[in-house]
Amino acid sequence: MEEREVVCPENIRRLPTYSEVRKGILEIGREPVPLSKSVSRKALVKYSTRVERVFRYVENHLLARLREVREVLNIPFYRELASNAVPEGVDLLNTVGRLSGKLKAIRKLYREYRTRVLSSIDRLEAEELYREYVGRVLSVVRRLSRDIELLNSAVDELRKTPCIDFSKPIIAVAGLPQVGKSTLVATISSAKPRSSPFPFTTKEIVLGHIELNGTTVQILDLPGILDRSPEEMNRIERRAFIALTTVAQVIVYLVDPSEDFYYGFESQLNLLKAIHSLVGQKVVVAVNKVDKVSDERLTRVVEALMEVVPGAKVLKISALRKLGLEELLSTLRNFLREARPE
Ligand SMILES: Nc1nc2c(ncn2[C@@H]2O[C@H](COP(=O)(O)OP(=O)(O)OP(=O)(O)O)[C@@H](O)[C@H]2O)c(=O)[nH]1
Ligand SMILES: [Mg+2]
């Protein structure tokens, strides 16, 4: 595969709101414009320099940032995650297109007013023209407030998303809340996500790395997903759902076999069924917390899981006590080998 630069959503910047732009531009009107003695018609040059500075401000704070956002949104995984943060039906690439189209009008204003300011009769006219220009620029930006706000919600979501290298393998760890996903990812990878006895401890996707087959493999710790339809999922669950369905080559589905597991066993079977029917053979099922249950219960749990997904591999592990992890890693190794034939 061709070497590509990895696009990092963590680094994109928010767009300034209308009032921030207004502040920034008014500031330009107060900043001195140093001019050498030899310059004639100083006032005209001063205002035309400001006309230019205002445009540069728009260029750097809006247009350049919009390009960064567009680059990230061009990647389907990030686009879906970003769409999760804005009202349904909003097409973010359209929003970016519309915004940049409207902002280009400011480039026209810049050209027009630079010429007009430079050909004004006196300082007063130059100053008036400058004010008119600022007013028109700000009015364009003000009309874009809603789109800027929408894109900033998307940017806030994207900035929480790790930087994924799509040319390298991706494993995702999924399951209901509390099954031990973060404990597992913290144990086997470079990531150190927080784990705790409270559901939805993990709210965002966390990226870790492991060396498998001599290559660096990315492993994603996902938020927990409840057993319900995608339409009913909250924003946190949907982050996990998007990762599962769009980027993972292999999914480790973790199960908590304990009698006292808050969400019960059946919900875990149902979610597995749903994931399996969406992604097919890519699922490795691992029963976690084997240290907590009797052998007898464990056997029954494994049997029930195999019935739901015949042919799927069901492993027994304890992420906390570090049991069965070697076998899990070698299973993942094999899966990845099959997923990407050399
Ligand atoms: N006994 C035992 N407890 C475990 C094991 N693995 C995880 N736990 C505990 O299970 C609880 C939940 O662990 P997490 O790793 O936070 O679970 P999670 O699936 O990431 O939970 P969410 O982020 O809320 O979805 C914690 O109290 C862990 O210490 C295990 O193998 N055995
Ligand atoms: Mg977690």
Side-chain angles (χ1 to χ4, degrees):
M1 186 178 279
E2 201 182 304
E3 278 289 317
R4 275 184 310 128
E5 216 180 298
V6 174
V7 175
C8 276
E10 312 171 312
N11 301 334
I12 57 173
R13 293 169 295 175
R14 290 184 114 236
L15 304 175
T17 59
Y18 168 69
S19 66
E20 285 163 345
V21 172
R22 189 168 173 274
K23 216 170 140 221
I25 288 182
L26 293 182
E27 190 57 39
I28 290 171
R30 285 191 289 266
E31 276 164 11
V33 179
L35 294 171
S36 73
K37 279 201 176 122
S38 60
V39 172
S40 59
R41 313 201 72 197
K42 284 202 173 51
L44 308 195
V45 176
K46 182 172 109 181
Y47 284 108
S48 82
T49 305
R50 284 187 178 148
V51 166
E52 161 127 24
R53 283 181 184 173
V54 166
F55 176 64
R56 294 290 159 231
Y57 179 94
V58 171
E59 171 82 23
N60 295 332
H61 291 79
L62 287 157
L63 285 163
R65 294 183 192 188
L66 216 47
R67 282 193 290 274
E68 291 172 12
V69 177
R70 190 205 301 262
E71 193 185 19
V72 171
L73 289 176
N74 274 331
I75 298 171
F77 173 52
Y78 296 137
R79 188 164 62 243
E80 279 204 43
L81 281 175
S83 304
N84 186 23
V86 296
E88 231 182 285
V90 171
D91 180 330
L92 286 166
L93 278 177
N94 260 348
T95 310
V96 170
R98 192 167 53 237
L99 264 173
S100 28
K102 296 267 165 61
L103 288 170
K104 292 219 173 92
I106 295 181
R107 187 189 299 270
K108 266 204 193 140
L109 288 176
Y110 155 59
R111 295 211 181 102
E112 178 192 331
Y113 278 86
R114 187 185 47 184
T115 316
R116 286 177 68 190
V117 166
L118 279 175
S119 42
S120 13
I121 306 167
D122 55 14
R123 177 193 180 89
L124 200 65
E125 192 185 359
E127 190 178 342
E128 258 169 28
L129 280 168
Y130 175 71
R131 278 182 210 287
E132 189 181 305
Y133 165 70
V134 166
R136 289 182 70 182
V137 168
L138 287 177
S139 124
V140 172
V141 178
R142 194 179 52 233
R143 272 179 271 129
L144 302 176
S145 295
R146 163 103 187 106
D147 281 346
I148 289 177
E149 206 180 293
L150 268 179
L151 277 191
N152 278 340
S153 309
V155 168
D156 291 343
E157 176 75 21
L158 291 167
R159 284 174 56 89
K160 295 178 200 153
T161 307
C163 192
I164 291 174
D165 183 346
F166 294 97
S167 68
K168 300 218 168 78
I170 303 164
I171 298 171
V173 182
L176 269 92
Q178 283 301 288
V179 294
K181 300 177 294 296
S182 299
T183 309
L184 176 68
V185 171
T187 308
I188 64 175
S189 85
S190 60
K192 294 294 163 251
R194 208 163 66 82
S195 61
S196 91
F198 304 108
F200 289 109
T201 298
T202 306
K203 295 189 167 41
E204 278 125 31
I205 298 169
V206 177
L207 169 69
H209 295 94
I210 351 175
E211 290 295 319
L212 287 177
N213 302 338
T215 43
T216 306
V217 173
Q218 300 163 103
I219 184 158
L220 304 178
D221 176 23
L222 303 182
I225 305 178
L226 298 178
D227 161 32
R228 50 185 177 183
S229 71
E231 297 76 51
E232 291 170 306
M233 286 179 186
N234 63 30
R235 196 159 136 189
I236 301 173
E237 293 171 271
R238 227 175 287 130
R239 288 187 184 124
F241 187 77
I242 292 166
L244 282 184
T245 49
T246 60
V247 291
Q249 270 100 47
V250 181
I251 291 155
V252 177
Y253 183 77
L254 272 197
V255 173
D256 186 332
S258 334
E259 282 94 343
D260 61 354
F261 179 61
Y262 180 77
Y263 299 99
F265 184 62
E266 202 180 329
S267 60
Q268 302 190 81
L269 287 180
N270 292 340
L271 180 63
L272 174 59
K273 251 185 248 170
I275 291 179
H276 190 258
S277 70
L278 277 173
V279 301
Q281 297 308 309
K282 300 195 299 188
V283 187
V284 175
V285 182
V287 181
N288 188 30
K289 310 194 186 180
V290 295
D291 56 298
K292 271 185 84 180
V293 290
S294 67
D295 288 349
E296 199 199 345
R297 183 170 171 91
L298 195 56
T299 311
R300 292 216 314 275
V301 163
V302 171
E303 278 170 8
L305 290 164
M306 304 250 280
E307 249 173 61
V308 166
V309 282
K313 184 127 188 162
V314 179
L315 300 166
K316 300 172 208 166
I317 67 165
S318 166
L320 193 64
R321 311 259 176 250
K322 301 190 172 54
L323 302 172
L325 300 183
E326 267 317 309
E327 201 190 343
L328 172 64
L329 291 177
S330 77
T331 306
L332 293 176
R333 232 175 254 129
N334 293 337
F335 251 81
L336 289 173
R337 229 178 256 134
E338 283 161 28
R340 353 188 94 222
E342 327 279 84

